[in-house]
Amino acid sequence: MSGEPGTPAATLHLGRDLMLAGSRLRDAVGRRAQREFGITALQGDMLLLLAAHGSMISTELATTCGVNASTVTHAVDAGIERGLMKRTRNDADRRLVDIGLTPAGKRMAERVRALIADVARSALEGVGAPHLMVLAESLAQVSKNLDRD
């Protein structure tokens, strides 16, 4: 049968389901972030990345977020206007500009983190604890495998 686990058809369906679930989760987070905080999903991603890394240059942000540099520039400009982000000259290479968070940006990153946890809780309703552990371990392995590419 083509739908049995491990078959190409089952793998294709699972891959499609993973992509769809990730897309729906991102969309749900983006809608709530826009509604509750007035920020886009991309700005939320950037806030979390900057909170984790301290600062990054725009090309690093663009690569990590999977968007082009001009998209990051516009998102950073909006973040600066809102008082969430700041640009500073890179100490190691004065040609580069670091993007970092203001104190308000750090607080907003925490709010985004809590929002993501809330959306994830809702998305995982009805999934039992043993299944959650397997899902978490499996998704961690999927991410590890994808990082090899």
Side-chain angles (χ1 to χ4, degrees):
M1 287 175 67
S2 63
E4 290 183 21
T7 65
T11 302
L12 174 64
H13 290 296
L14 182 58
R16 185 195 65 225
D17 290 345
L18 277 170
M19 289 177 57
L20 186 57
S23 178
R24 285 183 175 166
L25 182 63
R26 181 176 172 76
D27 288 349
V29 168
R31 282 190 306 273
R32 282 211 29 211
Q34 183 69 49
R35 185 173 60 244
E36 295 179 22
F37 310 139
I39 63 171
T40 65
L42 174 60
Q43 289 169 324
D45 288 347
M46 290 170 43
L47 289 169
L48 293 177
L49 282 167
L50 294 170
H53 292 94
S55 67
M56 299 173 79
I57 60 173
S58 61
T59 54
E60 291 172 324
L61 274 173
T63 300
T64 305
C65 292
V67 296
N68 63 43
S70 67
T71 301
V72 164
T73 298
H74 292 299
V76 170
D77 288 345
I80 289 171
E81 284 180 33
R82 294 266 322 264
L84 302 173
M85 298 177 198
K86 61 183 177 182
R87 288 186 178 101
T88 55
R89 208 38 82 189
N90 184 291
D91 291 332
D93 186 341
R94 302 294 293 162
R95 296 170 296 173
L96 301 176
V97 176
D98 290 324
I99 300 160
L101 296 179
T102 64
K106 291 175 185 175
R107 289 189 300 275
M108 182 63 76
E110 287 305 314
R111 293 174 72 189
V112 170
R113 190 174 285 116
L115 182 145
I116 291 169
D118 187 51
V119 171
R121 266 191 299 280
S122 294
L124 294 167
E125 280 182 19
V127 180
H131 293 104
L132 287 175
M133 191 66 114
V134 171
L135 178 61
E137 291 170 358
S138 298
L139 289 174
Q141 184 62 50
V142 167
S143 292
K144 183 178 172 184
N145 293 344
L146 291 171
D147 284 343
R148 289 192 302 225
D149 288 343

